[in-house]
Amino acid sequence: MKIAVFAGDGIGPEVTAQAVRVLEALNLDGMELTEGDVGGAAYYKHGHPLPEATLDIARASDAILFGAVGDFSCDHLERHLRPEQAILGLRAALGLFANLRPATCFPGLEHMSGLRPEIARSIDLLIVRELNGDVYFGEKGMRTLDDGRRQGWDMMAYAEDEVRRIAHVAFRAAQGRSKKLCSVDKANVLETSQLWRDVIIETSAEYPDVALEHMYVDNAAMQLVKAPGNFDVVVTGNLFGDILSDQASMCVGSIGLLASASLGERQTGYGTFGLYEPIHGSAPDIAGQGKANPMAMILSAAMMLRHSFGLEAEAARIEGAVAKALEDGVLGGDLGGTAGTQEVGDAVLARM
Ligand code: NAD
Ligand code: IPM
Ligand code: MN
């Protein structure tokens, strides 16, 4: 079980250390962790946010645990040298096109939601975000127009096969849950979205047992606050999925709680190859203070055990320990409490 560990920048190393403690506590036979440099940390050490040596470690592994990247001191660099290119580069190079971002309200945490407790309580949804296309990976540039004004531009596009493969992932996920799928787009304005909607509808013919609905992204953002319990599986493009998942995190209480799995087609001897990371970033405002909530990272490790290693019981054991810690009031600053990163890690370990 070869696991690449890319801790990255800011709170990345702090939360990753707790996830590693949790994994090591399981005493899994044959688990091998290999660290690699990514992000600003890799840029300052090697001159590149995603060095070739790191890619080699990624390719030789069965799964990747990824902390976070992002360092404001790199924001002036040419785009291809910025820390964020590490995660974008890994997603592209490894064909990780399907990003699963579950959001569930933990019992006892309803009062920490930005929503009223009775609304927060109903949240149990899965955002299936396309991760290899959209405006993220189109051509982009800066130019000067004839009249001298500067213009920045980014090309938004989806090819039908890119939509079809994420549609299949989402329909299958819906089959395994309550057989409801909501596709989120902006087809009233964007051609990219019209194609998205057309292909989702075509693909739905293969899943007659799944109830499909379509929603414009502006309405989806509103409904996520008004009646989040009406969503089960949500499938959407790269940009909309990025935004809606941060929003969903505050609906359940904190961005420090949301884990993710990024999957492609590659199978290993154990399961599906994948990259696992919290949905949050490097949080420079609290980095180095031992304050970050490591739960999203720990829950990402659980998703890794489930999807890449078929270790359902171990995944459930970690998730149960996190839920119990929350129920017992072990809350970080992001949840109105005082527990530090290490303390939260201790509490989860104790409950495992
Ligand atoms: P962020 O997610 O890093 O932080 C947003 C806010 O949430 C901050 O106030 C932060 O303190 C808080 N927060 C985030 N995670 C937390 C945790 N585990 N515990 C407690 N509080 C937490 O988003 P940002 O500030 O917009 O971005 C900071 C940097 O991170 C940028 O460089 C950005 O590009 C990068 N980023 C990276 C990833 C990634 O590596 N996948 C994801 C998002 C942002
Ligand atoms: C995320 C992040 C990334 C994204 C950035 C850091 C490139 O916000 O994983 O949600 O936009 O996908
Ligand atoms: Mn994001």
Side-chain angles (χ1 to χ4, degrees):
M1 294 171 55
K2 291 198 170 66
I3 301 170
V5 181
F6 301 156
D9 305 318
I11 64 167
E14 302 171 40
V15 296
T16 303
Q18 300 307 318
V20 167
R21 284 177 79 202
V22 163
L23 285 174
E24 285 177 341
L26 291 171
N27 275 318
L28 298 170
D29 220 20
M31 186 180 81
E32 240 176 70
L33 305 180
T34 309
E35 291 181 15
D37 296 319
V38 290
Y43 172 77
Y44 285 118
K45 224 160 131 187
H46 313 282
H48 199 280
L50 183 56
E52 205 49 52
T54 299
L55 263 175
D56 288 343
I57 296 170
R59 292 201 178 99
S61 66
D62 299 304
I64 302 169
L65 262 191
F66 191 98
V69 288
D71 179 337
F72 295 142
S73 76
C74 294
D75 284 355
H76 66 284
L77 297 172
E78 280 179 69
R79 190 163 294 282
H80 74 280
L81 292 176
R82 293 198 203 163
E84 290 81 357
Q85 295 305 311
I87 185 62
L88 295 171
L90 283 167
R91 291 169 183 171
L94 304 171
L96 303 170
F97 69 89
N99 187 210
L100 311 182
R101 297 188 159 189
T104 307
C105 187
F106 288 92
L109 268 201
E110 299 83 357
H111 63 288
M112 279 317 302
S113 167
L115 311 177
R116 288 197 301 280
E118 66 272 22
I119 295 178
R121 194 169 295 127
S122 66
I123 301 174
D124 181 9
L125 58 88
L126 172 69
I127 296 178
V128 178
R129 171 190 178 196
E130 200 288 328
L131 209 56
N132 274 177
D134 201 353
V135 69
Y136 271 62
F137 290 99
E139 249 186 273
K140 58 184 81 231
M142 296 272 194
R143 60 192 168 203
T144 305
L145 301 174
D146 290 345
D147 62 7
R149 285 178 302 150
R150 289 171 302 155
Q151 186 184 57
W153 57 277
D154 301 83
M155 161 91 159
M156 177 183 265
Y158 265 125
E160 58 180 313
D161 55 305
E162 294 176 305
V163 182
R164 203 168 290 119
R165 64 183 184 174
I166 193 71
H168 282 296
V169 171
F171 276 108
R172 272 186 249 121
Q175 282 181 325
R177 292 175 53 111
S178 57
K179 299 191 164 58
K180 266 174 64 179
L181 178 62
C182 178
S183 172
V184 171
D185 64 33
K186 189 71 187 172
N188 50 349
V189 178
L190 304 172
E191 288 299 286
T192 314
S193 279
Q194 187 59 56
L195 180 91
W196 175 278
R197 188 174 285 215
D198 293 346
V199 174
I200 296 279
I201 291 171
E202 289 160 22
T203 311
S204 71
E206 295 174 49
Y207 302 89
D209 53 330
V210 175
L212 171 66
E213 73 168 327
H214 304 274
M215 202 178 281
Y216 298 130
V217 63
D218 46 352
N219 184 27
M222 187 274 276
Q223 296 295 339
L224 197 52
V225 170
K226 181 182 178 213
N230 289 344
F231 290 106
D232 189 18
V233 181
V234 174
V235 63
T236 190
N238 207 343
L239 181 64
F240 300 154
D242 179 42
I243 299 167
L244 291 177
S245 53
D246 266 34
Q247 188 183 339
S249 76
M250 268 325 290
C251 294
V252 305
S254 169
I255 194 162
L257 294 174
L258 256 63
S260 87
S262 303
L263 309 172
E265 266 146 22
R266 193 183 139 209
Q267 297 296 315
T268 70
Y270 301 98
T272 305
F273 177 79
L275 180 151
Y276 301 85
E277 58 170 336
I279 78 156
H280 63 70
S282 55
D285 54 332
I286 58 164
Q289 301 173 35
K291 279 191 201 167
N293 185 351
M295 284 174 166
M297 186 76 225
I298 291 171
L299 292 168
S300 299
M303 288 187 89
M304 174 183 78
L305 296 179
R306 171 174 297 123
H307 293 282
S308 285
F309 297 107
L311 297 173
E312 175 58 38
E314 286 78 358
R317 192 171 154 207
I318 295 173
E319 289 163 349
V322 169
K324 187 76 176 65
L326 288 169
E327 211 181 309
D328 293 346
V330 182
L331 307 174
D334 57 321
L335 290 166
T338 55
T341 310
Q342 178 83 18
E343 201 179 330
V344 173
D346 290 345
V348 172
L349 281 170
R351 284 158 184 81
M352 280 168 66

